[in-house]
Amino acid sequence: MWYHKTMKRCNIVRVLFSKVQAKVLETLGDRCAALWNAANFRCRRAFLKGEPVPSYATLCAEFQGHPAYKALPSDIAQEVLKKLRKAWNSFFALLRLWKEGKLEKRPGLPRYWKDRRTGKRLVKLIPVKSPRSYSLDARTLSLTLPKDLRDGNSRLVLHTKGILRFHGAPKTLELRYDRAKKRWYAHQVVEIPEPARKTRPEKYAALDLGARVLAALAIEGLNRQILFSGRKIWKDFLYWTKRIAEEQSRLNRAGRKTSRQLRRLYQVRARRLRHAFIALAAEVVRVLKRHRVTTLFLEDLTGIREDMDFGPKNLLVHNFWAFRMLRNLIEAACARAGIRVVPVEPRGTSSRCAVCGSPVKRLVRHRAVCERCGRVWHADANATVNILHLGSSKGHGAEATPQKPLALRWNRHRWVSRFESAAGTPKATSGSRMAARAA
């Protein structure tokens, strides 16, 4: 396969450490927090006085003689200052949006790395600027240490647990501390070649995103659409939301606001949701590759929450429906497979018939009825065929899809049809793998 351009990917592995190594990592993290707080105080003071906020080069020049800077290796200290400057760049970008009326609340200044209740510095992360100061392989991570922490060796050697999914030119590294699990994780950025799209006949597919049906997929030549039901994921999300509410009630009775258990519950809920979304993106790409699809038309839902009134207490839309995360995961999976993703404006795709273009009625939430041609089918299947029509000028023949859409459900491990058991044994002649082979 020929390659062109490059793209950045991230390897994440867990870092294993002894009690002595834990103290060394805690010391490094505390020194990073000390440098961040000192430089952030300088930036905040300049901003509040109306003076220009120092640039990254200015911060490096000013803090070279600072004790917090000298206590760290240069590659770590410089990366801390670079991250601080990026945080201020993000603040200024949000401030411009707020002044233009595109944000409701004024953005806050970059915060200090400290616990507001105790006033102590927070150990959050240890950033490393260059691979010359670290090395990471399948089993170990070595990190350059400052002189006062060296014990006969200039580097700290740590064992790792995990898989390096991407191999390429190593870039920056971040050691992040998870306060809820009390674990360290290494996040390594690598630059890999971007796979070029093979020259083959163009074939199109379309994907409609939703809250109850997370995604609806239509492919040229496939005699049915594929629906990814969000019912099981929504129930799981509600269960963990209830657990979070119970913990918050317990903390309120004790006069506290947060706890390690509460942070763990939030993490579990977010990770279970992301796990299902990653599997959904992988299943979509698997089907697209099986049918040799070259272009995927994906509806662009940017600003949908602001344009439509869902109600302030709509938990399904405002808390559960993370369509940006799902869209980004699908785009990343398609990029790895060499499939081009084209955003499409979704306005009107759910309100007209994909066969004749006439307005449809929604007598039931999930069913679209066309009075002109008599077509009755799933509303999300109708919407995804309309998106396919918008993206391509070909006649995709919605009349030639007489079968009902294939509904896939999440069984906490992978996406299967309702004819397939949780263990993956087909109970009928249909299933997610069989759907990928369907013509």
Side-chain angles (χ1 to χ4, degrees):
M1 180 181 294
W2 295 96
Y3 292 90
H4 68 99
K5 300 183 180 180
T6 57
M7 56 184 179
K8 292 183 178 180
R9 290 293 180 263
C10 183
N11 289 317
I12 303 176
V13 294
R14 179 184 167 187
V15 177
L16 307 178
F17 48 84
S18 63
K19 291 184 178 180
V20 176
Q21 293 172 334
K23 292 182 179 179
V24 175
L25 292 174
E26 185 178 354
T27 302
L28 282 175
D30 183 72
R31 293 180 181 182
C32 290
L35 178 59
W36 174 282
N37 293 342
N40 197 21
F41 175 77
R42 166 73 176 87
C43 295
R44 289 168 72 106
R45 186 175 60 178
F47 177 78
L48 296 176
K49 286 184 178 181
E51 301 173 356
V53 176
S55 64
Y56 166 65
T58 305
L59 287 174
C60 290
E62 289 185 7
F63 280 86
Q64 276 187 351
H66 196 277
Y69 188 98
K70 291 182 177 180
L72 292 168
S74 60
D75 278 349
I76 296 179
Q78 291 173 9
E79 191 65 18
V80 170
L81 298 179
K82 182 181 290 186
K83 288 186 70 67
L84 175 63
R85 182 59 209 186
K86 288 182 179 179
W88 278 93
N89 291 341
S90 299
F91 165 73
F92 288 130
L94 293 174
L95 190 63
R96 286 192 294 269
L97 294 177
W98 176 74
K99 290 181 179 179
E100 295 172 0
K102 297 180 180 180
L103 291 180
E104 295 182 1
K105 296 182 180 180
R106 181 187 176 95
L109 297 174
R111 295 183 177 181
Y112 296 108
W113 289 358
K114 70 175 184 179
D115 191 328
R116 292 188 173 185
R117 185 171 58 88
T118 62
K120 295 182 179 180
R121 289 192 293 263
L122 285 179
V123 177
K124 297 184 67 174
L125 58 87
I126 304 172
V128 187
K129 178 181 178 181
S130 170
R132 67 190 174 194
S133 297
Y134 79 89
S135 65
L136 177 65
D137 55 32
R139 294 186 177 182
T140 58
L141 166 67
S142 64
L143 188 68
T144 300
L145 291 174
K147 292 182 180 180
D148 59 324
L149 295 181
R150 296 176 183 176
D151 186 15
N153 193 353
S154 62
R155 291 206 168 196
L156 176 67
V157 180
L158 302 162
H159 292 285
T160 60
K161 183 179 180 180
I163 300 174
L164 299 178
R165 296 182 58 194
F166 306 102
H167 301 275
K171 297 297 181 181
T172 60
L173 176 84
E174 284 188 4
L175 281 171
R176 298 183 185 177
Y177 183 65
D178 189 329
R179 294 174 59 199
K181 295 184 178 180
K182 294 185 178 180
R183 295 176 179 176
W184 285 93
Y185 292 90
H187 296 243
Q188 182 198 35
V189 178
V190 295
E191 196 172 66
I192 62 176
E194 182 178 351
R197 297 179 63 220
K198 294 181 179 179
T199 55
R200 55 189 180 190
E202 286 289 337
K203 190 172 184 179
Y204 302 101
L207 196 68
D208 174 76
L209 303 180
R212 298 183 182 276
V213 176
L214 296 177
L217 179 65
I219 305 175
E220 282 184 352
L222 195 64
N223 61 355
R224 56 165 51 173
Q225 294 78 39
I226 302 175
L227 308 180
F228 295 84
S229 173
R231 182 181 180 87
K232 295 292 184 180
I233 307 175
W234 170 235
K235 285 184 176 181
D236 187 74
F237 186 88
L238 286 179
Y239 168 77
W240 290 103
T241 302
K242 183 180 179 181
R243 291 280 304 274
I244 290 171
E246 292 173 353
E247 176 66 13
Q248 288 175 332
S249 298
R250 187 187 69 82
L251 292 174
N252 287 335
R253 290 193 298 268
R256 299 171 59 190
K257 292 185 177 180
T258 186
S259 66
R260 183 186 172 194
Q261 177 65 13
L262 183 62
R263 291 193 292 267
R264 285 291 299 272
L265 291 173
Y266 272 114
Q267 279 190 357
V268 169
R269 187 180 72 173
R271 292 182 69 177
R272 290 175 74 91
L273 181 64
R274 182 176 176 83
H275 176 210
F277 282 4
I278 291 175
L280 191 154
E283 185 69 22
V284 167
V285 171
R286 188 180 296 114
V287 175
L288 297 180
K289 290 177 66 176
R290 186 68 59 87
H291 290 276
R292 299 182 177 275
V293 173
T294 58
T295 303
L296 174 67
F297 299 113
L298 183 63
E299 67 172 345
D300 186 7
L301 297 177
T302 303
I304 188 172
R305 289 191 178 96
E306 293 76 13
D307 297 340
M308 300 181 67
D309 184 15
F310 294 102
K313 296 183 179 180
N314 194 325
L315 183 67
L316 177 68
V317 173
H318 296 294
N319 296 75
F320 169 74
W321 192 27
F323 66 87
R324 285 189 181 88
M325 178 172 67
L326 180 58
R327 181 190 64 191
N328 293 338
L329 291 172
I330 292 173
E331 289 177 348
C334 288
R336 291 193 295 269
I339 300 173
R340 186 166 59 101
V341 177
V342 178
V344 175
E345 170 62 39
R347 190 177 301 276
T349 54
S350 300
S351 59
R352 66 175 182 270
C353 178
V355 177
C356 63
S358 303
V360 297
K361 289 187 177 182
R362 301 280 289 271
L363 303 178
V364 186
R365 179 189 297 273
H366 64 278
R367 185 162 298 177
V369 180
C370 180
E371 295 182 345
R372 181 178 176 184
C373 65
R375 182 81 178 190
V376 180
W377 57 353
H378 198 286
D380 294 290
N382 174 61
T384 189
V385 174
N386 274 323
I387 294 174
L388 195 59
H389 289 168
L390 288 176
S392 173
S393 59
K394 293 183 179 180
H396 299 289
E399 306 87 349
T401 58
Q403 298 187 34
K404 292 182 179 180
L406 175 64
L408 303 184
R409 60 180 175 84
W410 175 244
N411 70 354
R412 299 184 183 180
H413 300 284
R414 62 191 184 93
W415 290 90
V416 298
S417 75
R418 65 187 181 91
F419 300 105
E420 196 169 353
S421 67
T425 304
K427 295 182 179 179
T429 58
S430 179
S432 61
R433 299 296 184 271
M434 298 172 189
R437 300 187 184 95

